[in-house]
Amino acid sequence: MSGSLCRRLFSIVVILSLGLGFFGSARSQEEPAPRLAEPGRYKVYRIELREAITSEHVSFFIHRAVVAAKAAKADAVILDINTPGGRLDLTTRIRDDLITLKMPSYAYVNNQAASAGALIAIAMDK
Protein backbone atom coordinates (compact mmCIF):
# COMPACT_ATOMS: atom_id res chain seq x y z
CA MET A 1 0.00 0.00 0.00
CA SER A 2 1.11 3.51 -0.60
CA GLY A 3 1.74 5.94 2.26
CA SER A 4 -1.21 8.11 1.27
CA LEU A 5 -3.64 5.18 1.30
CA CYS A 6 -2.34 4.02 4.70
CA ARG A 7 -2.84 7.50 6.17
CA ARG A 8 -6.41 7.63 4.82
CA LEU A 9 -7.27 4.20 6.21
CA PHE A 10 -5.77 5.13 9.58
CA SER A 11 -7.78 8.36 9.62
CA ILE A 12 -10.99 6.47 8.84
CA VAL A 13 -10.33 3.93 11.61
CA VAL A 14 -9.67 6.71 14.15
CA ILE A 15 -12.79 8.65 13.13
CA LEU A 16 -14.97 5.52 13.32
CA SER A 17 -13.45 4.57 16.68
CA LEU A 18 -14.18 8.00 18.09
CA GLY A 19 -17.68 7.95 16.70
CA LEU A 20 -18.39 4.52 18.18
CA GLY A 21 -16.98 5.51 21.56
CA PHE A 22 -13.94 3.25 21.74
CA PHE A 23 -11.81 6.06 23.12
CA GLY A 24 -14.58 7.48 25.28
CA SER A 25 -15.00 7.38 29.02
CA ALA A 26 -15.53 4.07 30.78
CA ARG A 27 -18.13 5.72 33.04
CA SER A 28 -21.73 5.12 32.07
CA GLN A 29 -23.88 8.06 31.00
CA GLU A 30 -26.10 7.69 34.08
CA GLU A 31 -23.28 7.82 36.62
CA PRO A 32 -22.42 11.40 37.68
CA ALA A 33 -18.86 12.65 37.68
CA PRO A 34 -17.20 12.24 41.07
CA ARG A 35 -16.84 15.35 43.22
CA LEU A 36 -13.38 16.07 44.53
CA ALA A 37 -14.50 17.81 47.69
CA GLU A 38 -17.38 19.63 49.19
CA PRO A 39 -17.01 23.43 49.03
CA GLY A 40 -15.12 24.78 52.01
CA ARG A 41 -13.91 21.36 53.12
CA TYR A 42 -10.20 21.73 52.37
CA LYS A 43 -7.86 24.57 53.26
CA VAL A 44 -5.06 25.05 50.73
CA TYR A 45 -2.36 27.72 51.04
CA ARG A 46 -0.90 29.15 47.84
CA ILE A 47 2.49 30.85 48.18
CA GLU A 48 3.80 32.92 45.28
CA LEU A 49 7.50 33.13 44.52
CA ARG A 50 7.65 35.70 41.71
CA GLU A 51 11.09 37.29 41.85
CA ALA A 52 14.77 36.53 41.91
CA ILE A 53 15.94 35.10 45.22
CA THR A 54 18.53 37.80 45.87
CA SER A 55 17.49 39.45 49.14
CA GLU A 56 16.64 38.40 52.67
CA HIS A 57 13.03 39.51 52.36
CA VAL A 58 12.24 36.69 49.89
CA SER A 59 13.28 33.96 52.33
CA PHE A 60 11.53 35.79 55.18
CA PHE A 61 8.31 36.01 53.14
CA ILE A 62 8.37 32.25 52.44
CA HIS A 63 9.13 31.56 56.12
CA ARG A 64 6.12 33.66 57.24
CA ALA A 65 3.87 31.91 54.71
CA VAL A 66 4.98 28.46 55.91
CA VAL A 67 4.36 29.45 59.54
CA ALA A 68 0.91 30.76 58.60
CA ALA A 69 0.03 27.55 56.74
CA LYS A 70 1.05 25.46 59.75
CA ALA A 71 -0.87 27.69 62.17
CA ALA A 72 -4.00 27.46 60.03
CA LYS A 73 -3.64 23.67 59.86
CA ALA A 74 -3.77 23.79 56.07
CA ASP A 75 -4.50 20.55 54.23
CA ALA A 76 -1.97 21.36 51.49
CA VAL A 77 0.46 24.02 50.30
CA ILE A 78 1.02 25.03 46.69
CA LEU A 79 4.16 26.98 45.85
CA ASP A 80 3.51 28.99 42.67
CA ILE A 81 7.00 29.54 41.23
CA ASN A 82 8.20 31.97 38.57
CA THR A 83 11.80 32.86 39.35
CA PRO A 84 15.09 33.08 37.49
CA GLY A 85 16.90 31.78 40.59
CA GLY A 86 19.19 33.50 43.04
CA ARG A 87 21.49 33.06 46.00
CA LEU A 88 22.26 29.60 47.32
CA ASP A 89 22.22 30.58 51.02
CA LEU A 90 18.70 32.01 50.72
CA THR A 91 17.58 29.03 48.67
CA THR A 92 18.80 26.70 51.42
CA ARG A 93 16.80 28.63 54.03
CA ILE A 94 13.67 28.46 51.88
CA ARG A 95 14.18 24.75 51.26
CA ASP A 96 14.64 24.11 54.99
CA ASP A 97 11.35 25.88 55.74
CA LEU A 98 9.47 23.98 53.04
CA ILE A 99 10.65 20.51 54.03
CA THR A 100 9.29 21.03 57.55
CA LEU A 101 5.74 21.04 56.17
CA LYS A 102 3.74 18.08 57.50
CA MET A 103 0.95 18.52 54.93
CA PRO A 104 1.24 17.63 51.22
CA SER A 105 3.15 20.26 49.26
CA TYR A 106 3.07 20.93 45.54
CA ALA A 107 5.31 23.02 43.30
CA TYR A 108 3.59 24.71 40.37
CA VAL A 109 6.18 26.08 37.95
CA ASN A 110 4.35 29.02 36.45
CA ASN A 111 6.70 29.84 33.59
CA GLN A 112 10.19 29.29 35.01
CA ALA A 113 12.06 27.83 37.96
CA ALA A 114 15.67 28.23 36.96
CA SER A 115 18.68 27.54 39.13
CA ALA A 116 17.64 28.14 42.75
CA GLY A 117 13.97 27.95 41.75
CA ALA A 118 14.48 24.38 40.54
CA LEU A 119 16.13 23.43 43.84
CA ILE A 120 13.17 24.86 45.74
CA ALA A 121 10.69 23.08 43.46
CA ILE A 122 12.22 19.67 44.18
CA ALA A 123 11.93 20.31 47.93
CA MET A 124 8.16 20.00 47.54
CA ASP A 125 6.37 16.62 47.60
CA LYS A 126 5.09 16.84 44.04
Side-chain angles (χ1 to χ4, degrees):
M1 278 194 226
S2 71
S4 176
L5 181 59
C6 286
R7 281 191 297 271
R8 285 185 199 162
L9 286 174
F10 178 75
S11 298
I12 291 170
V13 169
V14 169
I15 290 169
L16 287 175
S17 297
L18 289 172
L20 295 174
F22 288 125
F23 296 121
S25 172
R27 189 182 320 128
S28 72
Q29 295 296 335
E30 298 154 10
E31 183 181 342
R35 293 184 61 115
L36 296 177
E38 295 302 317
R41 184 171 172 200
Y42 294 107
K43 190 179 299 181
V44 177
Y45 261 63
R46 182 172 152 261
I47 304 169
E48 288 187 2
L49 178 55
R50 295 269 187 248
E51 58 188 278
I53 305 163
T54 55
S55 69
E56 302 277 332
H57 82 275
V58 176
S59 65
F60 183 67
F61 168 77
I62 300 293
H63 174 75
R64 282 189 359 224
V66 167
V67 168
K70 288 178 182 178
K73 295 183 171 65
D75 295 304
V77 171
I78 298 172
L79 183 63
D80 189 341
I81 303 171
N82 185 6
T83 181
R87 291 176 28 193
L88 183 59
D89 61 327
L90 298 175
T91 301
T92 303
R93 283 190 216 164
I94 293 170
R95 185 227 32 218
D96 291 346
D97 278 331
L98 293 172
I99 61 175
T100 64
L101 291 168
K102 300 295 183 211
M103 70 280 295
S105 60
Y106 302 90
Y108 170 61
V109 178
N110 191 357
N111 195 19
Q112 67 174 337
S115 184
L119 294 173
I120 290 169
I122 61 174
M124 305 300 274
D125 293 332
K126 294 184 183 192

